[in-house]
Amino acid sequence: MSSTATILDAAKPIPERLVMPATDHLVDSLDPEPHPPDDAEDLPTAAVVFDVDAVSVYYGEFRAVQDASLKVHEHEITAFIGPSGCGKTTLLRCFNRMNDLISSARVTGSLCYYGVDLYNPQVDAVEVRRRIGMVFQKPNPFPKSIKDNVAYGPKVAGLAKKGPAMDDIVENSLRKAALWDEVKDRLNDNALGLSGGQQQRLCIARAIATDPDVLLMDEPCSALDPIATTRIEELMHDLKTDYSIVIVTHNMQQAARVSDRTAFFSVEVNADSDSRTGILVEYDFTQHIFSNPSDERTENYVTGRFG
Amino acid sequence: MQTNEPVSVGASGSARQNVPLTTAALAGSPHRLRKENLISKLMYGAALVSVVVSGLIMYALFSEAWVFMRDVDWAQTWGQIGWFPRRGIYDMPTLLIASFWTTLIAMVVAAPLGLGAAIYLSEYARSSHRALFKPILEVLAGIPSVVFGFFALLWLAPNVVANIGGAGGRGSMVAAGLGVGILTIPLVASISEDAMAAVPKSLREASAGLGARKAVTTLRVVLPAAVSGLVASMIVAVSRALGETMVVFMAGGAADAAVRTITPYDGSLTMPAAMASLASGTDQVVGEGLTFQSLFFVGLVLFLLTLGLNLIGDRFVARIREQY
Ligand SMILES: Nc1ncnc2c1ncn2[C@@H]1O[C@H](COP(=O)(O)OP(=O)(O)OP(=O)(O)O)[C@@H](O)[C@H]1O
Ligand SMILES: [Mg+2]
C-alpha cells in the first residue's frame, strides 16, 4: 500500500548479486547444511534463542515499535533490515535490556530468552548482558588503552585477572575481530587513536572477549572497508557454530550473504495522529525474503524501489 | 532566464549568478564586516581591562611585600612564639599550620561529600530527585560565608567539635575547618557533576553492555573519563578553603594575634584571617614599622601557594587524563 509499484515492476527479476551471495564458498565450507530450501518449513528447526511475542517499545508516549513477533534461532544469523528510523536498533536493544538505560523507554509484550522472560522483575539486566553481548551502531571505545578496552569485560565479569590468561583473551579477541595485526605493537596506546573502522573492530573484539552466548550487532560494518567487512562476515560465520547472532544492517548484499533469516521492518504512518511507528513487515528465511518475498513492501525494499 | 549557465540557489532562495565568479562577489558586505570588527575590538577592550587590573593588583602586592622582605629581620619570621604583627613578631609557621589544618579538615569534609553528591546526581538520581537536589545545592552555594562563620562558632563548636575531643565554648581550627568544609561542598559537587555529566552516554552504554554494574561503570569508566574536571574541582575547593576569610576569622578562635600551636583544637590564625584582623578595627594598621607591609607579604605567600597548586594540578591532569 505504501508503494506505487506496478505489477510489472514487481515481476522484474531481482538483481543477481542480491540473490547469489558472493561468499558462497564460506557457506559451503563452514556450514554443513546448505541454505534451507524453499520449503524449509519441513526441516527440524534449531532451538529458539529469542521468542519475541507482540513486543511494542515506547519512548514516552511515542511508539517506536509496534507488535513485533519473531523467533531467533540458535546458531543462526538473523538480520534486521529496513529503512532508517523503523526501530531496528530499538528492538535490538530490548534483547539485552539495554533500553533500561533510557528512562523514557518502556517495553510491552513478551520477550523470552531460552524460555525465560527477560522482563520478569526477578531477572537482573546485568546477568542478561553478560550472556548477550552488543556491538553498538557508533563505535564507542573507552578512552583507555586498546588492551584495557578488550580486557574490560573479562575483568568485570571475573573471567580473568591481569597476566598471561588475560593477554590470551586479548589476543584471541583481537584476532577474531581482524584487528590483531594492526594493533599488536601498540596495545598500550589509547584506543581513540585508532581509525573509525579500527575502533568498530575493537568494539567487536571487546564484545567477544566476554564470551557471550549471543552477539547483537548494530550495523557493525557501516564504517568498515570491504576487506575488513569480509573479515567481520567471516568472523560471524565462525562464531555461528557456537553463538547466535542478530545483526542490523543497511547493506542488503550483506544481509543476503551472511544471514539465515531476515526480518524486514518498515515505518507505518498513522493517518489520524500523524505518528510514525516501526512495524515488522515480514520475517522469513533470507532466501525467501530476497528471492520470493510474500509482501509487496519487502519486495520493493530489497529490490531498491522503496519509496 | 533561458540561459544554460549553471545557476545555484542560495539559502535565501534567490538565484545567484556563479559564472563568471568575481572577487567582489565573495568580498562580503562592508556593513557586516565593520560590525564584526567593532565587536572584536570591544571584546579585546574588556579582556585588556581585566588584565590591566590584575596587573595593578599584582604590582601593589609585590611592591609592598618587597618592602617587607627587604627591611624585615628574617629571624622574626621563623621560629618565634607566634604571630604578633603589632610587636614585630611575624612567625609564618603559625599561619601556615593554621591554614594547613583548616584546609585539610575542610577537604576531608568537602571532598567525599561533594563527590558523593555529584556521583549521586549524575549517575543515580532520578530526574525528579535531581530537580529537587540541584537547587538546594545552588542555594547552599549562595549563602554568605559570614553565616557559615556564625554556624561554625555557635553550632558546630558546641555540638560537633565538643564531641570529637575539642572544647565546645570557643572557636578553634577544627570548628573553622568544618565550617569551611560545609561551605565548600556545593562547589565540589557542582564542578564534579558538570565533569561527570560531560562524559558521553555511549561510554556508559558500552560498559553496561559488557555486563558491568552501575557502580563499576561509575568507578572504572565515568570517574576516569571525568578526572580532569574532578581534579579541577578539588583544586578550586582547596584554593577556596585556603583563601576563605570570614569563617576562619569568626570561628578560628583567635583575634589579631596567635601563639604557634600544632593542635587543631586550639584557636589560631590562618593567613587570610591574619590579614583580615590586621586590616580591620578602628586603629587600622598601627604597630611596629612593618606591620602594614606584613599584610602584603602574607598575601603574596597565599597567592604563590594557590598558583603552585594550580600548576601542579594542571600537570597532574595532563598526565592521567582520559580524553574522550
Ligand atoms: N532515546 C530515544 N528517545 C526517543 N526516541 C527515540 C530514542 N531512540 C530512538 N528513538 C526514535 O525511535 C525510532 C526508531 O529509532 P531506531 O534508532 O530504533 O531506528 P533504526 O531503525 O535503528 O534507524 P537507523 O537505521 O537510522 O539506525 C525513531 O523514530 C527514533 O527517533
Ligand atoms: Mg539504528
Side-chain angles (χ1 to χ4, degrees), chain A residues 59 62 64 84-90 102 137 219 250:
Chain A
Y59 292 112
F62 170 67
S84 187
C86 66
K88 307 179 294 294
T89 298
T90 300
I102 299 171
Q137 187 161 356
E219 297 186 40
H250 275 292

Side-chain angles (χ1 to χ4, degrees), chain A residues 93 96 98 101-102 124 126-127 129-130 132-134 136 140-144 152-153 155-156 192 206-207 210, chain B residues 127 201-214 216-221 224-225 321-324:
Chain A
R93 287 166 58 100
N96 67 345
M98 216 57 208
L101 299 189
I102 299 171
D124 180 9
V126 170
E127 246 357 281
R129 293 181 200 131
R130 289 200 177 153
I132 306 172
M134 183 158 213
F136 294 84
N140 54 355
F142 299 123
K144 300 177 185 295
Y152 185 87
K155 213 182 279 171
V156 163
L192 294 185
R206 188 172 66 178
T210 55
Chain B
S127 52
K201 197 166 189 273
S202 66
L203 293 185
R204 294 182 180 86
E205 291 195 335
S207 177
L210 291 166
R213 287 181 192 283
K214 202 164 221 172
V216 176
T217 301
T218 304
L219 208 66
R220 296 215 185 168
V221 175
R321 172 177 206 180
E322 286 188 350
Q323 211 141 13
Y324 43 81

Side-chain angles (χ1 to χ4, degrees), chain A residues 88-117:
Chain A
K88 307 179 294 294
T89 298
T90 300
L91 186 61
L92 192 75
R93 287 166 58 100
C94 295
F95 287 15
N96 67 345
R97 301 257 313 246
M98 216 57 208
N99 284 334
D100 290 17
L101 299 189
I102 299 171
S103 55
S104 70
R106 195 160 49 83
V107 179
T108 66
S110 113
L111 208 169
C112 289
Y113 174 63
Y114 287 111
V116 177
D117 183 0

